């Protein structure tokens, strides 16, 4: 289901304060930065006083909570385009190596309940929702938004979400970064 590659269009005039809060990963392209069998994956964003965004990504794997914290900032503060850079420090258990990636908001619905996130190479794609589950018709509409941006959605993988998503303190943390090490080796 690939389409001809065109220049990506991003959201203009994103209300950053409305965008803050918790987003559940409904689907994504597999990534070496996330465990293959992670469940209940989500991101929580909060606005810092300096205008940057605090990022907390969480996933559960084998009953343990894996997480990484980072920050996001506008690529061009003068632009109204929703193009951000996200910076994490790796490995999560000894954060010393900065890794920066693109985070482009390709679509957001008017109520700020669903979003499609990508980046210029089209190697990464996330479908996010304020709720852990979306109706199938809504999911198909969000996938179509990605297709319109030139994504090959055949690589899209639905993320398992519990009916009652866990709280951060409901499971022991993976303090050794085992999920991260395994993901680097494709496990």
């Amino acid at each position: 289901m690939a389409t001809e590659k065109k220049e990506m269009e991003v959201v203009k005039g994103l209300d950053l304060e409305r965008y803050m809060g918790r987003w559940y990963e409904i689907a994504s392209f597999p990534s070496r930065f996330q465990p293959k069998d992670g469940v209940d994956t989500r991101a929580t964003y909060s606005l810092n006083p300096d205008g940057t965004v605090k990022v907390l990504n969480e996933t559960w794997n084998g009953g343990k909570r894996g997480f990484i914290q980072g920050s996001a900032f506008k690529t061009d503060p003068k632009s109204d385009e929703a193009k951000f850079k996200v910076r994490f420090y790796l490995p999560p258990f000894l954060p010393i190596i900065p890794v920066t990636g693109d985070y482009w908001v390709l679509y957001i619905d008017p109520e700020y309940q669903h979003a499609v996130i990508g980046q210029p190479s089209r190697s990464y794609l996330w479908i996010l929702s304020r709720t852990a589950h979306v109706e199938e018709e809504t999911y198909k509409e969000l996938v179509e938004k990605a297709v319109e941006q030139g994504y090959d959605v055949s690589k899209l993988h639905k993320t398992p979400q519990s009916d009652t998503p866990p709280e951060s303190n409901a499971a022991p943390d993976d303090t050794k970064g085992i999920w991260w090490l395994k993901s680097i080796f494709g496990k």
Side-chain angles (χ1 to χ4, degrees), residues 28-36 123-125 155-157:
S28 68
F29 280 1
S31 162
R32 62 187 170 126
F33 298 109
Q34 290 180 251
K36 278 190 199 179
S123 299
Y124 298 97
L125 177 67
K155 298 183 284 184
L156 201 55
H157 168 76

Side-chain angles (χ1 to χ4, degrees), residues 19 21-25 28 31 33-35 38-46 53-61 64-72 85-90 92 99 101-103 117 124 126 128 161 166 168 173-174 179-180:
Y19 193 77
R22 180 164 289 165
W23 289 91
Y24 294 91
E25 180 183 282
S28 68
S31 162
F33 298 109
Q34 290 180 251
V39 299
D40 296 318
T41 303
R42 63 190 183 206
T44 305
Y45 306 118
S46 55
V53 176
K54 178 181 175 186
V55 178
L56 171 62
N57 288 346
E58 302 172 281
T59 192
W60 275 256
N61 185 294
K64 291 189 177 183
R65 174 183 169 253
F67 68 96
I68 190 165
Q69 295 183 48
S71 62
K85 292 283 186 186
V86 180
R87 180 174 295 133
F88 296 101
Y89 288 87
L90 301 174
V99 175
D102 291 300
Y103 182 107
I117 310 301
Y124 298 97
W126 294 271
L128 305 178
Q161 294 283 351
S168 297
D173 289 344
D174 175 6
W179 71 269
W180 184 81

Side-chain angles (χ1 to χ4, degrees), residues 110-166:
E111 290 79 34
Y112 280 65
Q113 296 301 300
H114 306 104
V116 178
I117 310 301
Q119 44 80 264
S121 73
R122 296 177 175 86
S123 299
Y124 298 97
L125 177 67
W126 294 271
I127 293 178
L128 305 178
S129 175
R130 294 291 190 179
T131 58
H133 303 282
V134 298
E135 298 292 326
E136 189 61 25
E137 185 173 325
T138 301
Y139 176 74
K140 287 177 182 176
E141 290 170 4
L142 295 167
V143 169
E144 185 56 34
K145 298 288 184 192
V147 170
E148 291 169 6
Q149 293 285 355
Y151 273 92
D152 173 4
V153 295
S154 68
K155 298 183 284 184
L156 201 55
H157 168 76
K158 282 191 174 181
T159 305
Q161 294 283 351
S162 301
D163 288 334
T164 308

